[in-house]
Amino acid sequence: MSQLPQTIRWNSGELYFLDQTLLPHKVVEEKQETVEQVWDSIRQLKVRGAPAIGVAGAYGLLLAIQDKTGLHKNRFNELIKAKAEYLDSARPTAVNLKWALDRMLECAKSFSGDDSKELFKYLEDEAIRIHNEDEKLCLDIGKYGVSLIKKDMGVMTHCNAGALATTGIGTATAPMYLAHRKKISFRVYSSETRPLLQGARLTSWELQQSGLDVTLLTDNMAAHIMSQGLIDLVITGTDRVAANGDVANKIGTHGLAIMARHFEIPFYVACPYSTIDFKTKQGNDILIEQRETEEVTNFGLQRTAPENMKAQNPAFDVTPNDLVTGLITDKGIIGPPYKENLQNKYL
Ligand code: MRU
C-alpha cells in the first residue's frame, strides 16, 4: 500500500497539505504559511475527513505559535488557547478537530517548565504522537473490520473515509485495503457524494490507485444497485459518534442506512476512539455544518440551477443507532446496545 497518498506532512517546522480540492487531476502539496491559511484549508476541504482535520489542527496550532516562543510562558499559553479556539471554529461537526486541539491544550497544561521554547518542543512531540497514533488506529480498525469482507462480496461506501481522510489507511477503507492485501477478491461501490464529489474524486481515485476493484455510482443509484443484489455490506466513516451510538457522517449516509435496512444489508460504521464523543448524548445534539448554497446550485464552477434559486446544503446527517449493525473501532467491532458497550470499551 506504499502508493497511498500522504495527506499531511510536518517537516521541521514546515507544514504541507495535499490539496484535495485538485484531486484526482492534480496531485499537489500546498505549503501552509500561516494559521489563517490552515483555517481556510480546513474550511475549503483542501484537507478534510475527521481524523485528518484533527492532525491538521494539531500541526496548525504549532504553526500559529512557533515564532512566538520569545513570549513569557503565561502570554505564550494564552496565545495557545486563543489559536486553538480559532482553529476549532473552522468546521463544527467532526469532533476529531476539537479532540486533537483539546489534547494539545492538556499537553500545554501538563508542562511544568518555564521556557516557552521548551513548551513548543513539548507540544511538537504531542502533535507528532497524534499523527503517528492516527496511522496506527486506522490499521487496528482494518484488522478488526477485515473479517467482515468475504470473497466475491460487493461492499458499498459513501464519501471518502479513506487514506485521504486520515493519515493512515483510512477508517471505512481500512478493512478493504487489508482484505485486498490478503488477496480476497471483492468489489467496492463508491457513491459519488454530491455536492462536492468526495466519492468520485477521492475514494474511487485512491482505491483505483491501490488496485482495488472499484465502481462509481451516482448517489441516486444506491437503491437500484442494492435491489439487484450487488451489495452485501455497507461500510462508511463518521465525523462524530454520540454516546448512544447515533452517527453523524456525510450527507446521504442516513438514506443509505435506511436502504440497507430495507434490503437487509449489514450497515457498519468505522471509527477510531477519537471520533466517539461521550459528551454528546445523542445525534440530535450534534451541530451539522451548513455550507454555502453555491455548492448545490453549481456543479463545479458551472451554475446549474436558475439564478436566485433557494437551496439547502447541510454537509452531514445523523444516522440513528438502530440502523447501525456495528461500529468497527480500534478496539473491535461494537454492536448494540451502544451506550453500554461503548462505555465498557472506552471509559
Ligand atoms: O466534508 P468531508 O469531506 O470532510 O466529510 C468527510 C466524511 O464525512 C467522512 O466520512 C468522515 O469524516 C469520516 S473520515 C474517516
Side-chain angles (χ1 to χ4, degrees), residues 149-157 173 176-177 179-181 183-191 203-217 230-231:
I149 300 180
K150 311 274 189 258
K151 186 173 173 329
D152 295 333
M153 267 188 169
V155 184
M156 181 157 191
T157 191
T173 57
M176 303 177 201
Y177 283 122
H180 181 65
R181 198 192 261 177
K183 304 212 179 321
I184 296 169
S185 74
F186 64 101
R187 292 159 285 115
V188 183
Y189 291 85
S190 164
S191 44
T203 305
S204 56
W205 179 75
E206 66 162 89
L207 294 179
Q208 188 187 53
Q209 292 280 309
S210 291
L212 277 81
D213 176 351
V214 55
T215 302
L216 179 62
L217 308 172
L230 291 170
I231 310 293

Side-chain angles (χ1 to χ4, degrees), residues 44 76 201 261 271 300:
Q44 291 171 26
F76 195 55
R201 294 186 303 102
R261 172 61 53 87
C271 64

Side-chain angles (χ1 to χ4, degrees), residues 20 45 47-53 91 94 96 158-162 165-166 170-172 196 198 202 236-239 248-251 253 270-272 275 289 291 315-316:
Q20 299 192 29
L45 276 55
V47 60
R48 31 105 5 240
I53 64 174
R91 294 192 80 188
N96 304 62
H158 186 54
C159 191
N160 176 269
T166 66
T171 60
L196 295 178
Q198 289 92 330
L202 308 177
T236 73
T238 168
D239 292 83
N249 192 47
K250 180 53 57 192
I251 191 77
T253 304
C271 64
T275 308
E289 177 182 354
R291 294 185 62 84
F316 300 95

Side-chain angles (χ1 to χ4, degrees), residues 4-10 15-20 23 27-30 32 46-49 51-53 55-56 59 131 134 160 162-170 202 205-206:
L4 283 177
Q6 194 176 357
T7 49
I8 299 170
R9 202 158 58 82
W10 175 257
L15 179 59
Y16 298 86
F17 295 154
L18 178 64
D19 182 350
Q20 299 192 29
L23 289 172
V27 183
V28 178
E29 261 190 348
E30 186 183 75
Q32 306 297 299
K46 288 185 174 182
V47 60
R48 31 105 5 240
I53 64 174
V55 177
Y59 285 136
H131 187 167
D134 180 58
N160 176 269
L164 288 163
T166 66
T167 57
I169 59 171
L202 308 177
W205 179 75
E206 66 162 89

